[in-house]
């Protein structure tokens, strides 16, 4: 749903920006392909649980592709890392921080002296049954499962404690340690994962390796609908595809970065309409610039780097604001305003000036200025994941088609309706103009 899209896009932008800054980045995103909910749904459908997971993972990647999220460096699945998981559990048991009960393995939270430091919750304030299952076999009600003994009909794997499968928290610790070691820079996720998931990861990691360390914890805020958190469990959610059937995927991406990633984002149709209008304006401006400069011969006058003073200021302002906003905790909400909008206005105003006859040297400066600003705008869009893979013309047509679909119209209906009102649309090259015409039906009497 949209909450998952927001998380994916938030970290995709972080990944893109770090790469833009020339960092070497190893980006790992793991799939939980076995858990209680998956097993339950697979049994209802009469389908193998791993087959069900594989299908949904593929569908998820299709959605992420539509939203122009880059593929991570690694995308491990739980089912492919059982040896790493059981080895880590064994290490935690040997270090005295976990215990075995009837084939289940529980983490002993009292062996984690700093438990609660991320979420700032005290161990004694945790109430059993809210986020951790009640089980009288536990030494402490807050203890959580590292390994679950197999139940009849469940997919299971061999372990030193018998057939079973891993708990949710340990799988993430084992896979991050496998691909990033016990010390790595950034760990991310939705704000709802702070407790107990990320808190438990810290406890497990340190129980397995005392030097374990994550330098930065990064959490994105929720998407709300009707003033409630969008979630599957409450049933108040919209899937990505429900939105992209009516709005272009890049409209959705624009909407999801219109607020700071850590803040609440309130879903509304008007917000999507506004995002659609914004990206249409951006792409139309860039298309107009490409068309205007396509056949322009760039004669070398010995001053190939010379641009106008207004262009120099526009370029500097956009570059400075881009790095300032992005380096300020990925402040995308303000990046698409201010200097970015000024750059689009610069392009539009200078395209109009380019049509007017002027001295050759001034025209060359104007052409270079337009190209310089155009390339900088595209660079910003690329880092934000808003630069279309296909041409601007194709995306603009798709945006129009989506708008007509939302209105319950097709273009032929629109033209026919206008003609009955005395307006004719004329296509000339890549542009459409309107002119008065004789109404198809009798005009309304004055």
């Amino acid at each position: 749903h949209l909450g998952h899209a927001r998380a994916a896009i938030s970290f995709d932008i972080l990944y893109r920006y770090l790469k833009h800054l020339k960092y070497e980045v190893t980006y790992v995103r793991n799939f939980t392909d076995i858990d209680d909910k998956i097993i339950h749904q697979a049994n209802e459908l009469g389908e193998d649980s791993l087959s069900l997971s594989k299908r949904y993972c593929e569908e998820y990647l299709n959605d992420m592709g539509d939203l122009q999220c880059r593929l991570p460096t690694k995308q491990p699945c739980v089912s492919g890392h059982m040896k790493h998981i059981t080895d880590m559990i064994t290490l935690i048991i040997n270090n005295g921080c976990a215990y075995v009960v009837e084939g289940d393995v529980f983490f002993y939270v009292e062996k984690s002296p700093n438990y609660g430091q991320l979420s700032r919750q005290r161990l004694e304030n945790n109430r059993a049954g809210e986020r951790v299952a009640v089980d009288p076999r536990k030494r402490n009600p807050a203890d959580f499962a590292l390994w679950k003994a197999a139940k009849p009909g469940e997919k299971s794997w061999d372990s030193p404690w018998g057939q079973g499968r891993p708990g949710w928290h340990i799988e993430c610790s084992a896979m991050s340690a496998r691909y990033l070691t016990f010390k790595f820079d950034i760990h991310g996720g939705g704000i709802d994962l702070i407790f107990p998931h990320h808190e438990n990861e810290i406890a497990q990691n340190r129980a397995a390796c005392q030097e374990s360390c994550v330098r930065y914890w990064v959490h994105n805020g929720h998407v709300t609908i009707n003033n409630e958190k969008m979630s599957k469990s409450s049933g108040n959610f919209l899937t990505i595809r429900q939105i992209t059937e009516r709005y272009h995927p890049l409209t959705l991406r624009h909407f999801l970065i219109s607020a700071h990633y850590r803040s609440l984002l309130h879903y509304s149709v008007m917000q999507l309409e506004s995002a659609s209008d914004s990206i249409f304006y951006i792409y139309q401006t860039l298309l107009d610039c490409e068309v205007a400069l396509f056949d322009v011969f760039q004669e070398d006058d010995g001053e190939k780097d010379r641009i106008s003073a207004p262009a120099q200021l526009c370029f500097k302002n956009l570059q400075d604001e881009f790095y300032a906003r992005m380096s300020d905790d990925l402040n995308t909400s303000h990046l698409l305003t201010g200097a970015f909008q000024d750059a689009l206005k610069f392009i539009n105003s200078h395209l109009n000036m380019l049509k007017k006859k002027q001295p050759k040297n001034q025209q060359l400066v104007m052409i270079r200025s337009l190209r310089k600003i155009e390339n900088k705008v595209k660079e910003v869009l690329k880092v934000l994941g808003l630069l279309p893979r296909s041409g601007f013309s194709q995306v603009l047509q798709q945006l129009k088609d989506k708008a007509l679909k939302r209105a319950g119209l097709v273009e032929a209906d629109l033209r026919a309706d206008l003609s009955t009102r005395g307006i004719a649309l004329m296509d000339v090259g890549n542009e459409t103009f309107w002119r008065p015409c004789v109404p198809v039906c009798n005009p309304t009497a004055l």
Side-chain angles (χ1 to χ4, degrees), residues 271-303:
Q271 292 273 43
L272 282 173
E273 292 289 351
S274 177
S276 183
D277 184 61
S278 294
I279 63 169
F280 191 96
Y281 169 63
I282 294 168
Y283 299 158
Q284 187 65 64
T285 298
L286 292 171
L287 177 62
D288 291 344
C289 190
E290 285 185 349
V291 171
L293 300 181
F294 180 73
D295 290 325
V296 173
F297 176 63
Q298 182 89 37
E299 184 177 332
D300 186 2
D301 60 352
E303 296 182 299

Side-chain angles (χ1 to χ4, degrees), residues 91-155:
L91 195 58
I92 294 171
I93 293 172
N94 292 343
N95 288 339
C97 297
Y99 54 95
V100 183
V101 181
E102 300 170 0
D104 290 321
V105 182
F106 294 102
F107 185 88
Y108 193 16
V109 292
E110 290 183 15
K111 292 290 186 178
S112 180
N114 295 317
Y115 190 81
Q117 64 176 9
L118 180 67
S119 58
R120 296 175 181 161
Q121 295 196 39
R122 297 175 63 86
L123 181 58
E124 57 267 26
N125 292 339
N126 295 334
R127 291 179 294 213
E130 291 188 356
R131 298 297 297 270
V132 182
V134 175
D135 190 328
R137 300 174 302 161
K138 294 179 181 180
R139 297 177 184 175
N140 185 302
D143 292 352
F144 55 91
L146 300 178
W147 188 261
K148 298 181 178 183
K151 297 175 183 175
E154 284 187 355
K155 195 88 175 178

Side-chain angles (χ1 to χ4, degrees), residues 168-182:
W168 175 32
H169 315 296
I170 192 65
E171 64 189 47
C172 298
S173 289
M175 285 186 278
S176 62
R178 164 69 179 83
Y179 293 101
L180 300 170
T181 76
F182 280 105

Side-chain angles (χ1 to χ4, degrees), residues 299-323:
E299 184 177 332
D300 186 2
D301 60 352
E303 296 182 299
K304 62 180 182 179
D305 295 324
R306 183 179 164 223
I307 61 174
S308 67
Q312 291 174 13
L313 181 61
C314 181
F315 180 88
K316 184 180 185 302
N317 287 344
L318 180 54
Q319 178 161 276
D320 289 351
E321 189 162 300
F322 169 69
Y323 286 112

Side-chain angles (χ1 to χ4, degrees), residues 326-338:
M326 290 297 287
S327 296
D328 181 18
D329 198 18
L330 304 179
N331 194 353
T332 58
S333 58
H334 290 95
L335 182 56
L336 291 172
T337 60

Side-chain angles (χ1 to χ4, degrees), residues 65-84:
D66 287 344
L67 296 172
Q68 293 198 167
C69 290
R70 291 181 174 179
L71 287 173
T73 316
K74 299 285 184 181
Q75 293 193 108
C77 292
V78 174
S79 59
H81 292 78
M82 287 300 168
K83 180 68 166 56
H84 299 105

